Amino acid sequence: DPIRDGAVAILPIRGVLSPRGQYGASGDTGRLGDRVRELGADPKVGTIVLDMSTPGGLVYGTQEFGDIVFEVRAQKPVIAVASNWMVASAGYWIATQASAFFASPSSDVGSLGVYAGHTDMSGFEDKLGMKTTLIASDPEKIQGHGYAPLAEEARAEIQASVDESNRAFVAAVARGRGMAAADVPAVHGKGRLVSAPRATAAGAIDGVMTLREVIAKYQSSRSRLALMRRRAELLGVITEI
């Protein structure tokens, strides 16, 4: 559950992100999305802080959670903080949808991109004297199975799926950070993790700050007003507040 600290609500996001908490309740993207919406609708909460430590997670559920964060930031500031570890991959997608994104001094952020894997078990079966034969209603049903080397057609399908998800990732970062999609790789990288100072220098995040420092900063109504101004300018809604 989020920890309330005056007008600032802190929502911990931990571990591998997945729908329905398949890798742990603290990374349940559906539950976390519901929490962000609840805090967005709570008039007692002035700022939502996402206290994040995650290596990333599954494609499933990530876009939906990111869309909620982006939606709620139109109501009040939503601040992402990489707190004393890393915010990578799917976690980075979520963090870039916030109003602002900070990282503690020792944290790493990034790993923008998508990957999939295939394990060819045929050699292992040969050593055991085994052979698996799959019988399916259609070859597409068993395309890319693990009992033979990966066929080129199956590889192409997997690559197309990875590319599609990566385009959605880049588009989300561009939207969240108020930039052109074509400029995302130069600023946010194409898969590497970088330190908080390097990410700040590149303009990928908004600064190096600890969770405690972020909470103190956004308890100030003046800071919230400045953030609202920045968000409005990025979205092209208004130029002055």
Side-chain angles (χ1 to χ4, degrees):
D1 289 335
I3 302 166
R4 299 280 176 94
D5 187 358
V8 177
I10 306 168
L11 182 62
I13 300 175
R14 300 281 187 270
V16 178
L17 301 176
S18 64
R20 300 178 181 85
Q22 295 179 57
Y23 296 96
S26 59
D28 182 339
T29 49
R31 183 187 68 85
L32 291 166
D34 289 343
R35 287 294 191 186
V36 170
R37 275 210 173 105
E38 290 169 5
L39 294 169
D42 188 341
K44 298 186 296 296
V45 173
T47 300
I48 303 167
V49 172
L50 307 180
D51 173 14
M52 303 182 70
S53 295
T54 172
L58 303 183
V59 169
Y60 307 111
T62 296
Q63 181 170 347
E64 291 82 352
F65 183 22
D67 286 348
I68 291 171
V69 171
F70 188 77
E71 170 193 319
V72 171
R73 87 180 211 183
Q75 304 167 29
K76 63 186 64 174
V78 182
I79 314 303
V81 186
S83 186
N84 302 330
W85 190 35
M86 70 172 70
V87 169
S89 198
Y92 195 76
W93 183 322
I94 303 306
T96 59
Q97 302 311 292
S99 311
F101 180 13
F102 298 95
S104 62
S106 64
S107 293
D108 289 329
V109 298
S111 192
L112 191 156
V114 181
Y115 74 92
H118 175 269
T119 301
D120 175 5
M121 298 185 291
S122 58
F124 178 67
E125 284 198 327
D126 288 343
K127 291 181 180 180
L128 296 178
M130 295 174 58
K131 184 174 179 61
T132 298
T133 300
L134 299 178
I135 301 170
S137 56
D138 190 274
E140 287 191 7
K141 181 66 176 177
I142 55 173
Q143 190 176 61
H145 67 77
Y147 301 104
L150 186 63
E152 284 305 314
E153 184 179 357
R155 178 187 292 275
E157 286 291 333
I158 294 171
Q159 185 67 60
S161 178
V162 166
D163 291 344
E164 181 180 26
S165 295
N166 189 64
R167 285 193 294 272
F169 196 162
V170 171
V173 172
R175 176 187 69 176
R177 299 296 295 176
M179 60 192 303
D183 296 332
V184 167
V187 175
H188 296 272
K190 295 183 286 186
R192 293 179 179 175
L193 278 172
V194 298
S195 67
R198 287 174 60 193
T200 302
I205 65 174
D206 296 295
V208 180
M209 297 180 69
T210 66
L211 177 63
R212 185 179 293 275
E213 288 169 339
V214 168
I215 293 169
K217 175 181 177 68
Y218 288 98
Q219 283 176 329
S220 163
S221 60
R222 179 176 297 178
S223 295
R224 288 200 296 273
L225 181 61
L227 184 62
M228 289 173 65
R229 180 183 295 113
R230 176 181 179 277
R231 176 179 58 77
E233 289 171 349
L234 286 176
L235 296 177
V237 178
I238 53 176
T239 58
E240 293 184 1
I241 296 180

